[in-house]
Amino acid sequence: MTDKQLIRNFSIIAHIDHGKSTLADRILEFTDTVSSREMLDQYLDDMDLERERGITIKAHAVRVLHKCKFDGSQYVFNLIDTPGHVDFSYEVSRSLAACEGAILVVDATQGIQAQTLANAYLASSNNLEIIPVINKIDLASARPDEVSDELSQVLGIEKTEILNISAKTGKGVEEILDRIVIDVPPPEGDEKKPLQALIFDSEYDSYRGIVVFIRVVNGFIEAGMKIRFMAENSITTVEEVGILNPKMIKQDRLSAGEVGYIITGIKEIGGISVGDTVTTVKDPAHEILPGYKKPKPMVYCGLFPIEGVHYEELREALGKLLLNDSSLDYTPEISSALGFGFRCGFLGLLHMEIVKERLEREYDLSLVTTAPNVAYKVVLTDGSTTEVKRPSDFPPEEKIAQIQEPFVSVTIISPKDYIGDIMTIANSKRGEFMDMQYLSSERVEIKYTIPLSEIIVDFFNLLKSVSAGFASLDYELSGYKTSDLVKLDILVAGSQVDELSAIMHREKAYITGREVVTKLRKLISRENFEIAIQAAIGKRIIAKDRIAPYRKDVTSGLYGGDITRKRKVLEKQKKGKKKMKRIGKVSIPGEAFMSFYQIDAGK
């Protein structure tokens, strides 16, 4: 058991690619937690996807020991490295709920970015002690003085409190460790009170069952205890407790203020949820700890196995992934074109891509995804309101009184040279200008309200393109507004394909319909009969194209004779093609279901 006064729990927060994981690497090195022989770049990022993309997807907890030079005492640091992309902000909120302090890292070459502000405000709302750090001062393009002025002006931080470091070379990192001891308060809590432990993460181990990562707030937990998950109201027995150093190390017990893991042996998915409170059955706590708020999915798409026999494997894989990614949402779905699958909810397009890749890599599945869309609120003529998460659930036009779509408050931080181009993009996405402020003489903060459906597909890429990569984006849901939206249906060979339908603004429907029809004509294979491809709004066809049939020269074997002989054979072929068109089936390739996404991404 560790004295609470010698424990410090903190997270590292920053905008994407500002050096969080590199700083975590240096802390592991300086505290001799990981030997130089075992050390890897992005050591805590243990997924191949994280290393390949160079981003942190999951929050990672680790316990390190640091001997403070001021009092000579050895302190226990529980460090949680967090993601920086806006799609994974839920990971940050979970991590901060288990901490008393946060290291705010800012790139000396890029300055304050959108997620820098979002994470700083999140830490402040959790009443955490913030240690401001300017990283990458070893680079020739570093401008620590300007960035220091920005931090002081925007966040009200005293310049004397800001540390200048280079996480790559290690310069200034030891000073951070001593500042953590001084500035971050020790955890509160009483070991003699009934057990209250906050679940901030979990994962599935095929041998040992569900591993739960906890922060003990009050009381203690040890092997053999009978515990209850209060929100889920499920009971189990603790098989093992331990710490993460960074690998799992078994301990006798975890006491108030400590961070670690518990293994219960539970192998059934369900019954454990992140943000829940763990207590004992014998002497239970009366209150659930204020956990983090479960995020509401912003983007929806269908996930279907290419081979229908893998449906059960996909369901099991999603359940296991849900333990490790609590923002994922899924419900069963049946498609006439794709068979059995799931309608999944995500926090953004990157989150959707990561989940699909993890399912394919970690669980050896081959998947097809439908085009992403957002959830709409439809007010019907009878006064009732329904939420529509997929185009196929859209009510008939005559029953709709109004359609409300989600809008987001968008914060863009950019060098002033790109203001005009950024505003042009925002306006083209039906954005409403709200505010603009200069953070410094060279950097500006622009605020817009934009429909979420316009943000999710290609807005981020366009923003990076027009700003040479310097602009950054953060957004949060602001509410729903009434819009002039329609459902664009796609018909192939006379049959409506629900998976190709989309909900969009009326102004864009005609152009998009034409482009989708043209793209499908290139993607769908020719058959022995003519295939008509149509785009429709309600009962009105707005675009049409055709795929010509293969033609076999059935008269090639006829030599001489009356012309009527050839006509009879051609007439027979014509009747056969009509019958084939009536009963024939068209094979639609998987890439066709992302047609709307590909069109938007290419603009």
Side-chain angles (χ1 to χ4, degrees), residues 97-129:
C99 297
E100 282 79 37
I103 299 174
L104 179 66
V105 181
V106 184
D107 191 322
T109 63
Q110 298 184 45
I112 289 179
Q113 302 283 286
Q115 278 299 106
T116 310
L117 290 178
N119 288 336
Y121 294 147
L122 191 59
S124 295
S125 66
N126 279 271
N127 298 316
L128 302 190
E129 187 65 39

Side-chain angles (χ1 to χ4, degrees), residues 303-324:
L303 271 181
F304 296 85
I306 290 178
E307 298 291 335
V309 294
H310 294 147
Y311 171 76
E312 287 297 329
E313 293 175 35
L314 175 58
R315 182 170 66 177
E316 189 176 329
L318 283 168
K320 291 176 180 178
L321 198 62
L322 185 64
L323 286 171
N324 200 231

Side-chain angles (χ1 to χ4, degrees), residues 379-411:
V379 181
L380 304 176
T381 50
D382 62 5
S384 61
T385 301
T386 182
E387 186 177 54
V388 176
K389 295 180 180 178
R390 56 180 181 174
S392 58
D393 293 337
F394 213 63
E397 274 189 302
E398 61 271 15
K399 292 186 177 181
I400 298 173
Q402 63 177 19
I403 307 169
Q404 298 176 350
E405 66 175 324
F407 277 69
V408 289
S409 297
V410 176
T411 301

Side-chain angles (χ1 to χ4, degrees), residues 58-229:
K58 285 287 304 167
H60 300 275
V62 62
R63 174 170 171 153
V64 302
L65 302 176
H66 170 63
K67 191 168 184 177
C68 181
K69 65 184 179 183
F70 295 118
D71 59 11
S73 299
Q74 183 165 268
Y75 286 82
V76 173
F77 288 173
N78 290 307
L79 153 67
I80 304 178
D81 181 25
T82 61
H85 194 280
V86 62
D87 278 15
F88 302 106
S89 56
Y90 68 97
E91 288 282 344
V92 181
S93 70
R94 283 162 38 175
S95 304
L96 296 182
C99 297
E100 282 79 37
I103 299 174
L104 179 66
V105 181
V106 184
D107 191 322
T109 63
Q110 298 184 45
I112 289 179
Q113 302 283 286
Q115 278 299 106
T116 310
L117 290 178
N119 288 336
Y121 294 147
L122 191 59
S124 295
S125 66
N126 279 271
N127 298 316
L128 302 190
E129 187 65 39
I130 297 176
I131 300 174
V133 169
I134 296 176
N135 189 24
K136 304 186 183 181
I137 60 169
D138 57 308
L139 298 181
S141 55
R143 43 188 186 87
D145 292 336
E146 290 179 40
V147 176
S148 181
D149 289 337
E150 287 182 16
L151 280 168
S152 178
Q153 182 179 335
V154 178
L155 296 175
I157 296 172
E158 293 290 336
K159 291 184 183 179
T160 54
E161 297 178 6
I162 301 171
L163 299 176
N164 291 342
I165 71 158
S166 169
K168 185 176 181 180
T169 65
K171 182 180 179 181
V173 174
E174 285 192 270
E175 192 178 345
I176 293 178
L177 298 176
D178 291 328
R179 278 283 297 275
I180 291 168
V181 171
I182 298 167
D183 292 357
V184 177
E188 297 178 354
D190 188 348
E191 189 185 347
K192 295 178 182 177
K193 286 186 177 180
L195 172 65
Q196 285 178 303
L198 176 69
I199 300 175
F200 67 87
D201 205 356
S202 60
E203 66 181 24
Y204 189 85
D205 185 294
S206 55
Y207 297 103
R208 311 196 68 181
I210 298 171
V211 181
V212 182
F213 301 104
I214 60 170
R215 153 72 194 274
V216 183
V217 176
N218 287 310
F220 66 91
I221 188 168
E222 58 189 10
M225 271 189 172
K226 208 165 189 179
I227 58 170
R228 181 193 299 274
F229 299 101

Side-chain angles (χ1 to χ4, degrees), residues 413-458:
I413 296 179
S414 166
K416 65 178 183 180
D417 299 342
Y418 306 109
I419 293 174
D421 290 335
I422 289 171
M423 294 182 80
T424 299
I425 291 174
N427 292 333
S428 72
K429 297 294 184 180
R430 297 190 282 134
E432 180 184 344
F433 177 77
M434 302 302 291
D435 188 25
M436 184 169 72
Q437 292 182 353
Y438 277 84
L439 303 178
S440 66
S441 59
E442 294 298 320
R443 294 171 63 73
V444 66
E445 178 187 71
I446 308 169
K447 293 191 175 183
Y448 266 88
T449 300
I450 303 178
L452 178 60
S453 59
E454 302 283 0
I455 290 283
I456 61 171
V457 176
D458 65 340

